[in-house]
Amino acid sequence: MFETKLKITDPTNDVTTELVPDGQTSFSVGRGAQCEVRLKEPTVSQMHATLIWENGHWWVTDATSTAGTFVNGRRIMRELLLDGTTVFFGKAECRINIDNKADSHDSASSQSSYDKIKEFFYEELVRRLDLRKLQEETLSDEELEQRVRALLQRIEGKHEDLLDQVEGQEDELEDEIVQNLLGLGPLEPLLEDDDITEIMAVGFDRIYLEKEGKLQLSDRRFRDGRHLLTVIERIVAPLGRRIDESSPLVDARLPDGSRVNAVISPIAPDGSCLTIRKFGKTVFDTDKLVSFGSLTPEMAKFLDLCVKARKNIIVSGGTGSGKTSLLNALSLFIGHDERIVTIEDSLELKLQQDHVVRMEARPPNAEGKGEITIRRLVINSLRMRPDRIVVGECRGGEALDMLQAMNTGHDGSLTTVHANSPRDAVSRLETLVLMAGMDLPLSAIRNQIVSAVDIIVQTGRLADGSRKVISITEMTGLESDKPLMQELFTFRQTGIDHAKGNRVLGCHIPTGVPSFVEELKARGLPLDMSWFQDGELEHAY
């Protein structure tokens, strides 16, 4: 247990205020008469900030003041206070002194569970660690972790009676404490698990996982809501982003490319929510996808020929249906002698060719400036002499520029769109082109789409969590302003195997012959017509 006292000194007016959380854990700072800590500096707001004793730590939270609250020269919304910290409330400089007393032996006698012992060592580490000083030394991540572990081990050496109660779990205990302090806490082992494809924190005490397409509740949790918010801030800070009450939602990514979305109060009134779409370490080729039952060998060989024949291909599907994985697999068919320009909202593609130019869109900064859109990157890519343009996803006006590029010599391009069927994909492209702000008639837009797009590959996530190519469709022309399409392959579901975890039963079958057979022959890419014969028994799942 802690006994704590915070002293806040205003050296300009030689005033020191002592705060003891005895029944009261929140203390206001400002010029107003109702404030427990009153400052006379004119830049201080009537209600400027709040000092909070929470979960064994002192925090300072800005109350949306006009002049702001600053710690270590940085404007903050909420910050952990350490002994010796200097805080500026507007231009009022204040020194913070914290006097914590921990009765370790009384605590030791009551610490009987792993979590309580971990909490004790974590509190002791925070109490003794001068993170502010370490950060000022600009240590590398490895050096900072070594310093923290060394101090933790010294603390553990003084409380061996507690370590005896977690015998055999000492390394795990140390790793969790360091991860909570410096890393992503309970998310660290989940991010290392390659079987997990998505991590979803709903508040601090519920972390859901997606494994093999199925959702399940994890046994891991954050210490509290503040711990979850701290982890979110650690993710977005290196990217120059911020998340606070004035900007309560953010899209970001982890160093490995995994996509992150976070929302906090006030738009998430039940607690902060964090969603991580993990970026797979392995690039799946079509052989791997065939082994998963996502498509047949004949479908894979056909798509190989389409890429080599420089057909423009749209991969369509819903969220989490495997669009990006398939796009990565298709990109492997592009020759190593071609110049490829990739454009993404968040870097996910892992092209294996040597001559690849990667570009990533940039969101606006905290002042709303500096945004670089996907559309601007698509337009810029046309000046970079690309042989192929690969757009991670068309979701706005860039669709118009992508179609124009496909129609003006940049054939063989690849992209994805969100849609539930090939025909919906065409409608989606029409909508996206209209978002470009050009006053084009629908007939002209459809002409552009039919002229540009050759193949639509539809992906889907089935009821059992499996991801499959459920359709390969060829665009064949336009009749009475209506796009004509011919399905070449489809997945036909035949039932559900309840004895095997509600596994979806079905088969891929050919349904048509492409119209460009002679074109492929002329390019020296002969098509095996047996691929389009009925082979449903051979490829049943």
Side-chain angles (χ1 to χ4, degrees), residues 396-397 399 425-436 442 445 449:
V426 175
S427 299
R428 171 79 168 155
L429 285 173
E430 293 172 0
T431 303
L432 296 180
V433 169
L434 292 171
M435 291 172 64
L442 192 58
I445 295 173
I449 294 172

Side-chain angles (χ1 to χ4, degrees), residues 398-452:
E398 65 273 4
L400 173 61
D401 304 289
M402 187 71 182
L403 293 174
Q404 289 179 330
M406 290 175 172
N407 277 321
T408 55
H410 296 90
D411 48 0
S413 297
L414 307 170
T415 189
T416 73
V417 296
H418 271 86
N420 294 324
S421 70
R423 194 159 293 280
D424 284 348
V426 175
S427 299
R428 171 79 168 155
L429 285 173
E430 293 172 0
T431 303
L432 296 180
V433 169
L434 292 171
M435 291 172 64
M438 306 292 288
D439 190 16
L440 296 173
L442 192 58
S443 59
I445 295 173
R446 286 179 176 169
N447 264 307
Q448 284 273 333
I449 294 172
V450 171
S451 299

